[in-house]
Amino acid sequence: MKPLYDAGIIGGGVIGLSTAYYLSKSGLRVAVFESGKTGSGSSRAAAGMLGAHTETEENDAFFKFAKESQALYPELAQDLLLESGIDIQLQYNGMYKLAMTAEEAVSLKKRAELEPDVEWHSKEYVLKNEPDLIAAIHGALRIEKDGQVSPVLLCEALKQAILQMNGKIYENTPVYKINRFNISNYEIKTAQGDYLCESLVLANGAWSSCILEDFARNAAVHPVKGECLSVSLQGCKLSSTVFHESCYLVPKLDGKIVIGATMENGNWNQEPTIKGISALMEKAKKMMPVIEHAHFHKAWAGLRPGSIDGKPYIGRLSSMPNLFVAAGHYRNGILLAPRTGVMIRDLFLNRTIDSEFIHAFQIIRSER
Ligand code: FAD
Ligand code: GLY
């Protein structure tokens, strides 16, 4: 007899794991099916920033969702510590978005006037707090609330907590087909055998358009390759994350600094390149010249799950009953993971969902 699960989750990245976690907490029998090891896809490549303010430009449903997700982190970190014994290294060291030109200063100051959670800081103030930054800055936007976590520890903690709640995690188990089995079940066909589930959640990151015709027809997910490196610099005083354009420096608790990240649409290759890493090194030196003395630690790459408009797909697939999608989290899957898991749980339990989120993240965007 094949095991029967209430929910089968395809993909064991941060989105699949967070979804499985919140469903398990509601008493559902869940199984996660993962091609390789959990947390080994894009989630492993992430810098771990919870950049609700840093990564958004508009005051829209996405920004609201991002802030709600960010706000779930303190409780999640505490619960995961109790449930798994793993500290996900949630820290609020704040972020500076640097103005390198007078025009950038004008635009960032305007943002500070409109957004209550961000402040404009003068060049002198910023350099007093972050003396290693380049002296040529015009000031910076300070975002106190945008913290960070360790994505690797977050995925491991979620995995352990799911196992503690008797959830099943099938690693090295790629799903290659999904069939309707009878009126109320799905059959998940994997390289390791077949499994029955009443409901499914498609959460396999950049690969989300690869299994299910019905989803791929409506909402393409594509890879956006991102390369990163980490370095260590003795005596470095950097204490906040700093951002300029698409480059960021993230100081980690182990003393390393993560430098990210490149952006390349449609590239499925997961190896870092000299081109990508040297471009990041140049950008990093422009923000913090002393970084040229840093010791290289390692470089890596991952595939962000890109969507048509940079916003995730979270909802039901209307053409297939009890089939949910949590995909396309692009640059912000770590940030958005808790709120995504909660939204899928609420959909499962037929709870009321904020209509703004239903509309913004619906699968068929052309229905807008
Ligand atoms: P993934 O983590 O890729 O997980 C999908 C999983 O599905 C994979 O493990 C894969 O093996 C599995 N899978 C695929 N096909 C199948 C199949 N057929 N059967 C079973 N399993 C399958 N976000 C932030 O919020 N903050 C950051 O600081 C940040 N920095 C980033 C830096 C870089 C360089 C990159 C590349 C991304 C960054 N992101 C960041 C984005 C974030 O990493 C992603 O949005 C997030 O990891 C997506 O999670 P996911 O679970 O959807 O995808
Ligand atoms: N959010 C950072 C990145 O995707 O590179």
Side-chain angles (χ1 to χ4, degrees):
M1 176 84 172
K2 296 168 187 180
L4 176 66
Y5 298 105
D6 296 321
I9 289 129
I10 303 168
V14 73
I15 297 300
L17 291 170
S18 173
T19 300
Y21 174 78
Y22 284 104
L23 290 177
S24 295
K25 283 206 139 180
S26 303
L28 293 165
R29 290 162 299 157
V30 308
V32 177
F33 301 92
E34 164 55 46
S35 286
K37 294 268 172 222
T38 52
S40 62
S42 182
S43 304
R44 175 165 285 269
M49 294 176 290
L50 307 178
H53 301 79
T54 334
E55 293 260 0
T56 47
E57 299 291 335
E58 284 171 52
N59 191 0
D60 57 4
F62 180 80
F63 184 40
K64 182 172 163 190
F65 192 79
K67 284 194 288 186
E68 288 188 15
S69 202
Q70 196 181 55
L72 289 172
Y73 260 101
E75 189 182 335
L76 177 63
Q78 222 171 31
D79 288 351
L80 286 175
L81 184 60
L82 287 174
E83 292 155 358
S84 71
I86 296 172
D87 176 357
I88 64 169
Q89 300 190 343
L90 173 65
Q91 45 165 334
Y92 292 97
N93 47 351
M95 295 200 192
Y96 280 117
K97 215 167 185 176
L98 304 183
M100 298 288 217
T101 64
E103 292 75 45
E104 285 175 3
V106 170
S107 139
L108 292 179
K109 275 181 192 166
K110 214 175 273 170
R111 174 99 196 256
E113 280 162 19
L114 297 173
E115 171 59 45
D117 291 329
V118 304
E119 277 178 2
W120 171 257
H121 285 181
S122 69
K123 166 184 175 160
E124 292 70 29
Y125 185 92
V126 177
L127 292 175
K128 199 170 140 228
N129 287 290
E130 296 291 356
D132 284 342
L133 293 181
I134 189 152
I137 55 168
H138 287 242
L141 209 59
R142 175 73 180 167
I143 305 146
E144 210 62 53
K145 284 192 171 173
D146 283 3
Q148 56 158 303
V149 293
S150 158
V152 171
L153 293 175
L154 170 63
C155 287
E156 188 55 29
L158 288 168
K159 173 185 172 179
Q160 295 306 330
I162 294 162
L163 292 172
Q164 284 292 323
M165 292 183 278
N166 293 322
K168 278 277 182 192
I169 297 192
Y170 295 99
E171 293 187 313
N172 303 311
T173 307
V175 174
Y176 64 85
K177 203 161 191 259
I178 297 162
N179 289 329
R180 287 291 288 158
F181 186 67
N182 52 32
I183 196 102
S184 53
N185 292 324
Y186 283 99
E187 183 180 49
I188 297 190
K189 298 193 89 62
T190 82
Q192 317 303 338
D194 304 337
Y195 300 86
L196 283 184
C197 301
E198 281 178 9
S199 303
L200 291 184
V201 184
L202 197 62
N204 54 326
W207 301 267
S208 296
S209 291
C210 302
I211 311 178
L212 202 60
E213 245 315 276
D214 278 54
F215 174 65
R217 242 198 326 270
N218 292 314
V221 177
H222 61 275
V224 184
K225 180 177 177 182
E227 299 178 41
C228 272
L229 72 151
S230 61
V231 300
S232 53
L233 178 60
Q234 241 195 348
C236 179
K237 298 184 194 74
L238 186 71
S239 61
S240 310
T241 293
V242 288
F243 235 90
H244 183 249
E245 292 176 340
S246 56
C247 184
Y248 45 80
L249 312 181
V250 186
K252 291 289 177 182
L253 279 179
D254 65 1
K256 306 266 181 341
I257 299 171
V258 171
I259 304 172
T262 61
M263 295 270 282
E264 209 183 327
N265 259 309
N267 189 343
W268 284 102
N269 180 285
Q270 293 189 69
E271 297 297 326
T273 61
I274 294 286
K275 183 180 171 205
I277 298 305
S278 56
L280 288 173
M281 287 173 167
E282 286 309 313
K283 286 183 180 178
K285 279 196 282 179
K286 285 192 180 133
M287 286 195 268
M288 195 171 85
V290 290
I291 208 154
E292 71 179 357
H293 303 295
H295 290 274
F296 175 78
H297 174 237
K298 64 177 179 182
W300 64 90
L303 305 180
R304 301 177 185 91
S307 67
I308 47 165
D309 55 3
K311 313 283 193 294
Y313 303 108
I314 312 171
R316 288 175 185 272
L317 192 62
S318 51
S319 57
M320 297 177 76
N322 299 329
L323 202 142
F324 301 83
V325 176
H329 288 70
Y330 188 39
R331 290 180 60 93
N332 295 294
I334 306 299
L335 166 66
L336 303 178
R339 190 63 185 83
T340 299
V342 165
M343 180 160 162
I344 295 285
R345 177 204 65 193
D346 291 348
L347 284 165
F348 257 75
L349 302 179
N350 286 318
R351 290 187 182 160
T352 310
I353 314 270
D354 189 327
S355 59
E356 269 192 80
F357 298 157
I358 295 200
H359 185 65
F361 308 137
Q362 66 192 350
I363 317 303
I364 306 177
R365 300 285 217 258
S366 56
E367 278 177 3
R368 279 180 182 184

mmCIF file of all heavy atoms in Angstrom, residues 11-20 39 43 73 151 154-155 158 203 329 332-338:
data_model
loop_
_atom_site.group_PDB
_atom_site.id
_atom_site.type_symbol
_atom_site.label_atom_id
_atom_site.label_comp_id
_atom_site.label_asym_id
_atom_site.label_seq_id
_atom_site.Cartn_x
_atom_site.Cartn_y
_atom_site.Cartn_z
ATOM 1 N N GLY A 11 9.678 19.907 -3.952
ATOM 2 C CA GLY A 11 10.751 20.890 -3.798
ATOM 3 C C GLY A 11 11.056 21.127 -2.332
ATOM 4 O O GLY A 11 10.168 21.497 -1.556
ATOM 5 N N GLY A 12 12.304 20.892 -1.968
ATOM 6 C CA GLY A 12 12.719 21.062 -0.568
ATOM 7 C C GLY A 12 13.654 22.243 -0.392
ATOM 8 O O GLY A 12 14.626 22.177 0.354
ATOM 9 N N GLY A 13 13.337 23.355 -1.081
ATOM 10 C CA GLY A 13 14.029 24.617 -0.811
ATOM 11 C C GLY A 13 13.331 25.320 0.339
ATOM 12 O O GLY A 13 12.432 24.749 0.979
ATOM 13 N N VAL A 14 13.708 26.572 0.578
ATOM 14 C CA VAL A 14 13.147 27.284 1.725
ATOM 15 C C VAL A 14 11.626 27.425 1.600
ATOM 16 O O VAL A 14 10.905 27.386 2.610
ATOM 17 C CB VAL A 14 13.842 28.658 1.914
ATOM 18 C CG1 VAL A 14 13.428 29.673 0.850
ATOM 19 C CG2 VAL A 14 13.606 29.203 3.301
ATOM 20 N N ILE A 15 11.122 27.524 0.360
ATOM 21 C CA ILE A 15 9.676 27.713 0.182
ATOM 22 C C ILE A 15 8.922 26.403 0.456
ATOM 23 O O ILE A 15 7.927 26.389 1.195
ATOM 24 C CB ILE A 15 9.377 28.248 -1.245
ATOM 25 C CG1 ILE A 15 10.032 29.634 -1.434
ATOM 26 C CG2 ILE A 15 7.873 28.310 -1.507
ATOM 27 C CD1 ILE A 15 9.580 30.712 -0.472
ATOM 28 N N GLY A 16 9.404 25.290 -0.102
ATOM 29 C CA GLY A 16 8.759 24.004 0.165
ATOM 30 C C GLY A 16 8.841 23.646 1.642
ATOM 31 O O GLY A 16 7.863 23.157 2.233
ATOM 32 N N LEU A 17 9.988 23.912 2.260
ATOM 33 C CA LEU A 17 10.167 23.554 3.676
ATOM 34 C C LEU A 17 9.291 24.413 4.581
ATOM 35 O O LEU A 17 8.673 23.911 5.530
ATOM 36 C CB LEU A 17 11.639 23.688 4.073
ATOM 37 C CG LEU A 17 12.598 22.661 3.458
ATOM 38 C CD1 LEU A 17 14.050 23.053 3.724
ATOM 39 C CD2 LEU A 17 12.320 21.248 3.986
ATOM 40 N N SER A 18 9.230 25.706 4.282
ATOM 41 C CA SER A 18 8.410 26.582 5.121
ATOM 42 C C SER A 18 6.930 26.197 5.002
ATOM 43 O O SER A 18 6.194 26.172 5.996
ATOM 44 C CB SER A 18 8.630 28.039 4.688
ATOM 45 O OG SER A 18 7.745 28.870 5.365
ATOM 46 N N THR A 19 6.524 25.856 3.775
ATOM 47 C CA THR A 19 5.136 25.428 3.562
ATOM 48 C C THR A 19 4.860 24.131 4.346
ATOM 49 O O THR A 19 3.852 24.021 5.054
ATOM 50 C CB THR A 19 4.888 25.215 2.048
ATOM 51 O OG1 THR A 19 5.139 26.458 1.386
ATOM 52 C CG2 THR A 19 3.483 24.752 1.766
ATOM 53 N N ALA A 20 5.784 23.181 4.237
ATOM 54 C CA ALA A 20 5.610 21.907 4.957
ATOM 55 C C ALA A 20 5.573 22.139 6.468
ATOM 56 O O ALA A 20 4.814 21.492 7.197
ATOM 57 C CB ALA A 20 6.754 20.962 4.593
ATOM 58 N N GLY A 39 17.334 22.211 0.778
ATOM 59 C CA GLY A 39 18.090 23.461 0.921
ATOM 60 C C GLY A 39 19.332 23.540 0.059
ATOM 61 O O GLY A 39 20.230 24.331 0.353
ATOM 62 N N SER A 43 18.156 28.341 -2.423
ATOM 63 C CA SER A 43 18.154 28.727 -1.005
ATOM 64 C C SER A 43 19.553 28.686 -0.390
ATOM 65 O O SER A 43 19.883 29.475 0.489
ATOM 66 C CB SER A 43 17.195 27.828 -0.222
ATOM 67 O OG SER A 43 15.908 27.892 -0.797
ATOM 68 N N TYR A 73 9.512 36.567 11.485
ATOM 69 C CA TYR A 73 10.803 35.934 11.775
ATOM 70 C C TYR A 73 11.169 35.783 13.259
ATOM 71 O O TYR A 73 11.675 34.730 13.666
ATOM 72 C CB TYR A 73 11.931 36.616 10.990
ATOM 73 C CG TYR A 73 12.290 35.813 9.754
ATOM 74 C CD1 TYR A 73 11.842 36.167 8.506
ATOM 75 C CD2 TYR A 73 13.040 34.642 9.861
ATOM 76 C CE1 TYR A 73 12.138 35.397 7.382
ATOM 77 C CE2 TYR A 73 13.341 33.866 8.744
ATOM 78 C CZ TYR A 73 12.889 34.250 7.519
ATOM 79 O OH TYR A 73 13.177 33.478 6.423
ATOM 80 N N PRO A 151 20.646 31.279 5.663
ATOM 81 C CA PRO A 151 19.709 30.454 4.877
ATOM 82 C C PRO A 151 19.960 28.955 5.068
ATOM 83 O O PRO A 151 19.013 28.163 5.103
ATOM 84 C CB PRO A 151 19.985 30.853 3.428
ATOM 85 C CG PRO A 151 20.701 32.141 3.491
ATOM 86 C CD PRO A 151 21.435 32.170 4.795
ATOM 87 N N LEU A 154 18.560 28.023 8.401
ATOM 88 C CA LEU A 154 17.097 28.117 8.341
ATOM 89 C C LEU A 154 16.514 26.851 7.702
ATOM 90 O O LEU A 154 15.572 26.249 8.241
ATOM 91 C CB LEU A 154 16.697 29.365 7.540
ATOM 92 C CG LEU A 154 15.221 29.498 7.179
ATOM 93 C CD1 LEU A 154 14.346 29.610 8.436
ATOM 94 C CD2 LEU A 154 14.984 30.711 6.267
ATOM 95 N N CYS A 155 17.079 26.440 6.564
ATOM 96 C CA CYS A 155 16.555 25.232 5.887
ATOM 97 C C CYS A 155 16.743 23.997 6.762
ATOM 98 O O CYS A 155 15.852 23.152 6.851
ATOM 99 C CB CYS A 155 17.240 25.041 4.527
ATOM 100 S SG CYS A 155 16.691 26.238 3.301
ATOM 101 N N LEU A 158 14.184 24.094 9.627
ATOM 102 C CA LEU A 158 12.836 23.754 9.152
ATOM 103 C C LEU A 158 12.723 22.250 8.929
ATOM 104 O O LEU A 158 11.745 21.608 9.323
ATOM 105 C CB LEU A 158 12.520 24.513 7.849
ATOM 106 C CG LEU A 158 12.268 26.021 7.982
ATOM 107 C CD1 LEU A 158 12.272 26.700 6.610
ATOM 108 C CD2 LEU A 158 10.932 26.302 8.691
ATOM 109 N N ALA A 203 6.495 23.577 -5.437
ATOM 110 C CA ALA A 203 7.422 24.546 -4.822
ATOM 111 C C ALA A 203 8.855 24.213 -5.227
ATOM 112 O O ALA A 203 9.759 24.263 -4.398
ATOM 113 C CB ALA A 203 7.275 24.512 -3.293
ATOM 114 N N HIS A 329 9.767 33.050 -6.385
ATOM 115 C CA HIS A 329 10.096 34.022 -5.335
ATOM 116 C C HIS A 329 11.328 34.859 -5.656
ATOM 117 O O HIS A 329 11.783 35.673 -4.846
ATOM 118 C CB HIS A 329 10.243 33.327 -3.978
ATOM 119 C CG HIS A 329 8.933 32.870 -3.414
ATOM 120 N ND1 HIS A 329 8.225 31.831 -3.966
ATOM 121 C CD2 HIS A 329 8.191 33.335 -2.381
ATOM 122 C CE1 HIS A 329 7.097 31.664 -3.275
ATOM 123 N NE2 HIS A 329 7.060 32.574 -2.314
ATOM 124 N N ASN A 332 13.755 37.135 -3.391
ATOM 125 C CA ASN A 332 13.357 37.316 -1.981
ATOM 126 C C ASN A 332 12.755 36.093 -1.305
ATOM 127 O O ASN A 332 11.953 36.229 -0.386
ATOM 128 C CB ASN A 332 12.365 38.497 -1.911
ATOM 129 C CG ASN A 332 13.039 39.786 -2.312
ATOM 130 O OD1 ASN A 332 13.932 40.268 -1.624
ATOM 131 N ND2 ASN A 332 12.662 40.314 -3.464
ATOM 132 N N GLY A 333 13.155 34.911 -1.741
ATOM 133 C CA GLY A 333 12.555 33.704 -1.176
ATOM 134 C C GLY A 333 12.828 33.519 0.305
ATOM 135 O O GLY A 333 11.973 32.992 1.035
ATOM 136 N N ILE A 334 13.982 33.937 0.763
ATOM 137 C CA ILE A 334 14.283 33.774 2.203
ATOM 138 C C ILE A 334 13.368 34.712 2.993
ATOM 139 O O ILE A 334 12.701 34.303 3.946
ATOM 140 C CB ILE A 334 15.774 34.073 2.501
ATOM 141 C CG1 ILE A 334 16.708 33.224 1.617
ATOM 142 C CG2 ILE A 334 16.074 33.892 4.001
ATOM 143 C CD1 ILE A 334 16.606 31.738 1.780
ATOM 144 N N LEU A 335 13.330 35.955 2.562
ATOM 145 C CA LEU A 335 12.453 36.933 3.210
ATOM 146 C C LEU A 335 10.991 36.473 3.214
ATOM 147 O O LEU A 335 10.300 36.555 4.228
ATOM 148 C CB LEU A 335 12.574 38.277 2.460
ATOM 149 C CG LEU A 335 11.519 39.335 2.739
ATOM 150 C CD1 LEU A 335 11.614 39.828 4.178
ATOM 151 C CD2 LEU A 335 11.662 40.516 1.779
ATOM 152 N N LEU A 336 10.525 35.968 2.072
ATOM 153 C CA LEU A 336 9.087 35.696 1.916
ATOM 154 C C LEU A 336 8.651 34.315 2.405
ATOM 155 O O LEU A 336 7.450 34.009 2.409
ATOM 156 C CB LEU A 336 8.685 35.846 0.440
ATOM 157 C CG LEU A 336 8.971 37.204 -0.219
ATOM 158 C CD1 LEU A 336 8.570 37.177 -1.694
ATOM 159 C CD2 LEU A 336 8.221 38.332 0.492
ATOM 160 N N ALA A 337 9.604 33.465 2.797
ATOM 161 C CA ALA A 337 9.270 32.067 3.115
ATOM 162 C C ALA A 337 8.210 31.927 4.218
ATOM 163 O O ALA A 337 7.222 31.194 4.029
ATOM 164 C CB ALA A 337 10.536 31.289 3.468
ATOM 165 N N PRO A 338 8.348 32.600 5.376
ATOM 166 C CA PRO A 338 7.334 32.362 6.419
ATOM 167 C C PRO A 338 5.930 32.780 5.985
ATOM 168 O O PRO A 338 4.971 32.024 6.158
ATOM 169 C CB PRO A 338 7.819 33.236 7.590
ATOM 170 C CG PRO A 338 9.249 33.526 7.322
ATOM 171 C CD PRO A 338 9.436 33.483 5.836
#
